[in-house]
Amino acid sequence: ATKAALSDEAYGRYTNVSKNPGRDLIRQLTRAGVEIYVCGQAMAHHQYDLDEVMPEVRVAVSAATVNVNKQMAGSAYIPFP
């Protein structure tokens, strides 16, 4: 999922696809008010640079931190298998 946060240019560097297939959906979601985060630890693990992330996506220090903070603010955590 980390790769889905990359810009078209970065996505193309790491795959043989020139356009991030999730780009339009991410843009639609953020225009609708959805906050989208990518885990900074996962970014580092995959050796992606922070400047390779789509501008609509926020980089969090860790996904766990975002999940805990959102739950404490009243959001529900719905795990997917």
Side-chain angles (χ1 to χ4, degrees):
T2 306
K3 194 182 300 172
L6 298 177
S7 68
D8 285 340
E9 297 79 20
Y11 195 90
R13 279 195 293 275
Y14 298 105
T15 68
N16 60 357
V17 179
S18 62
K19 178 183 169 191
N20 181 337
R23 178 191 69 182
D24 294 336
L25 177 59
I26 288 172
R27 288 183 176 160
Q28 289 173 8
L29 288 168
T30 56
R31 272 183 267 170
V34 175
E35 296 175 347
I36 299 179
Y37 294 87
V38 65
C39 177
Q41 292 176 352
M43 293 280 298
H45 174 76
H46 292 290
Q47 299 179 345
Y48 300 145
D49 290 329
L50 297 179
D51 63 353
E52 294 180 310
V53 175
M54 293 176 58
E56 294 86 357
V57 177
R58 299 176 186 182
V59 178
V61 173
S62 75
T65 302
V66 171
N67 284 332
V68 168
N69 288 336
K70 290 294 182 183
Q71 287 177 69
M72 290 175 60
S75 294
Y77 175 65
I78 303 171
F80 293 97

